[in-house]
């Protein structure tokens, strides 16, 4: 096995960072473009989140040509692409024609000075930094020289499990919200019967799987903090906690919390 091409990997980092900057710049331009109501919609950043990782994966794939293992490079590119494009498409379809996401309204309420400039500091810059840091797993994996083996197979299986949970969970929630007769109730069927957040759990599993693929060859294992940050954000920071806070006043939600696993899928508890 050839040694890790450290110089080539380090040289690729500024280009990946430039990709993040371009994604943020385009997203910001779309957000502040005058809409029908004249109000900027910075929640468009959510739409760009998944595709932003795809951009980084493409850049790393191109720059790692002739350096990293071809099979691992292709696998990481394909899996990241499928995940990121599906996520961006789903969120874009959900947000079409709507208003600013309540989370962003609360974050930007009372912004000192320009609301758009404040959003640039509080929304785009932090998310851009997180995007670059989390993607280090993909970037390092693209330059890894070891061949694919059992750990990569296990990572692919974990990724597939996560992708199914995320995509099916999102679809079930979309159908639930589209039924006027169920408005104001709690979704507790399908995957939502086993975890209160199948989409967040699925996202976490996707990134755990990508890490396992990268970690099979040194120094991919050193990027463990990248998926850890993503998983922590989903489970303990802006994913699960904010969603549950928003749902806490809904009738039947307390009972749902008491009977259903908070994150990892598990059979419902009996009372």
């Amino acid at each position: 096995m050839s040694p890790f091409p450290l110089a080539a990997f380090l040289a690729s980092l500024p280009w990946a960072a430039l990709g993040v900057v371009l994604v943020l710049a385009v997203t910001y331009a779309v957000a502040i473009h005058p809409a029908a109501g004249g109000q900027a919609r910075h929640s468009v950043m959510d739409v760009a989140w998944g595709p932003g990782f795809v951009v980084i994966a493409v850049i790393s794939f191109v720059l790692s040509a002739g350096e990293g293992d071809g099979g691992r490079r292709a696998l990481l590119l394909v899996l990241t692409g499928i995940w990121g494009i599906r996520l961006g498409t789903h969120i874009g379809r959900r947000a079409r024609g709507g208003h600013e996401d309540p989370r962003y309204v609360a974050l930007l309420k009372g912004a000192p000075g320009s609301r758009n400039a404040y959003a640039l500091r509080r929304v785009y810059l932090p998310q851009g930094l997180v995007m670059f840091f989390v993607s280090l797993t993909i970037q390092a994996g693209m330059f890894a020289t070891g061949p694919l083996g059992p750990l990569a197979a296990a990572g692919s299986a974990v990724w597939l499990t996560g992708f199914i949970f995320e995509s099916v969970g999102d679809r079930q929630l979309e159908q639930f919200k589209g039924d006027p007769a169920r408005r104001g109730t709690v979704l507790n069927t399908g995957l939502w019967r086993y975890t209160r957040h199948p989409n967040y759990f699925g996202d976490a599993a996707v990134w755990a799987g990508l890490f396992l693929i990268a970690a099979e060859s040194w120094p991919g294992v050193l990027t463990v903090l990248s998926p850890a940050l993503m998983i922590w954000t989903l489970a303990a920071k802006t994913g699960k906690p904010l969603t549950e806070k928003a749902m806490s006043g809904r009738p039947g939600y307390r009972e749902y919390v008491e009977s259903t696993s908070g994150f990892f899928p598990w059979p419902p508890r009996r009372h």
Side-chain angles (χ1 to χ4, degrees):
M1 182 175 68
S2 303
F4 183 76
L6 181 60
F9 169 67
L10 293 177
S12 74
L13 295 180
W15 292 102
L18 178 60
V20 173
V21 171
L22 291 176
V23 168
L24 296 181
V26 170
T27 306
Y28 183 75
V30 171
I32 65 175
H33 188 273
Q39 182 78 16
R41 288 185 59 195
H42 293 291
S43 54
V44 72
M45 183 63 220
D46 290 347
V47 181
W49 179 249
F53 285 98
V54 180
V55 170
I56 297 172
V58 170
I59 292 173
S60 297
F61 180 81
V62 171
L63 296 179
S64 63
E67 302 286 357
D69 176 72
R72 178 171 287 99
R73 291 171 58 243
L75 183 60
L76 288 171
L77 178 65
V78 170
L79 296 187
T80 304
I82 292 173
W83 169 80
I85 292 171
R86 188 217 70 90
L87 182 62
T89 301
H90 167 71
I91 296 177
R93 185 175 63 247
R94 186 180 67 188
R96 187 183 304 159
H99 301 287
E100 182 75 287
D101 188 295
R103 294 173 301 156
Y104 288 87
V105 173
L107 177 65
L108 301 175
K109 185 178 180 180
S114 168
R115 181 176 180 272
N116 291 336
Y118 186 71
L120 197 59
R121 300 192 306 270
R122 293 296 307 275
V123 176
Y124 296 88
L125 179 58
Q127 293 206 40
L129 292 173
V130 171
M131 183 184 295
F132 180 81
F133 184 78
V134 171
S135 70
L136 285 173
T137 286
I138 299 171
Q139 297 182 58
M142 290 286 189
F143 284 86
T145 57
L148 294 173
L151 192 57
S156 299
V158 172
W159 179 94
L160 180 59
T161 300
F163 184 77
I164 290 173
F165 264 84
E166 184 175 14
S167 56
V168 173
D170 280 341
R171 180 59 179 162
Q172 290 174 344
L173 181 60
E174 186 176 32
Q175 292 175 334
F176 177 82
K177 289 183 174 180
D179 184 356
R182 305 177 77 175
R183 187 167 300 162
T185 63
V186 176
L187 174 57
N188 58 3
T189 58
L191 294 179
W192 299 81
R193 183 171 182 263
Y194 302 98
T195 167
R196 302 198 296 272
H197 304 281
N199 46 359
Y200 294 148
F201 165 76
D203 210 350
V206 161
W207 281 95
L210 292 174
F211 168 72
L212 291 176
I213 295 170
E216 187 168 48
S217 182
W218 186 263
V221 67
L222 296 179
T223 66
V224 64
L225 292 181
S226 296
L229 174 61
M230 176 69 92
I231 294 169
W232 174 77
T233 299
L234 292 167
K237 185 64 175 175
T238 60
K240 177 178 179 286
L242 291 184
T243 299
E244 299 206 339
K245 181 179 179 181
M247 292 286 293
S248 60
R250 182 166 295 193
Y253 193 71
R254 174 183 288 184
E255 292 76 11
Y256 179 60
V257 169
E258 292 174 350
S259 65
T260 310
S261 172
F263 197 74
F264 294 99
W266 198 256
R269 293 182 287 273
R270 297 180 181 274
H271 295 285

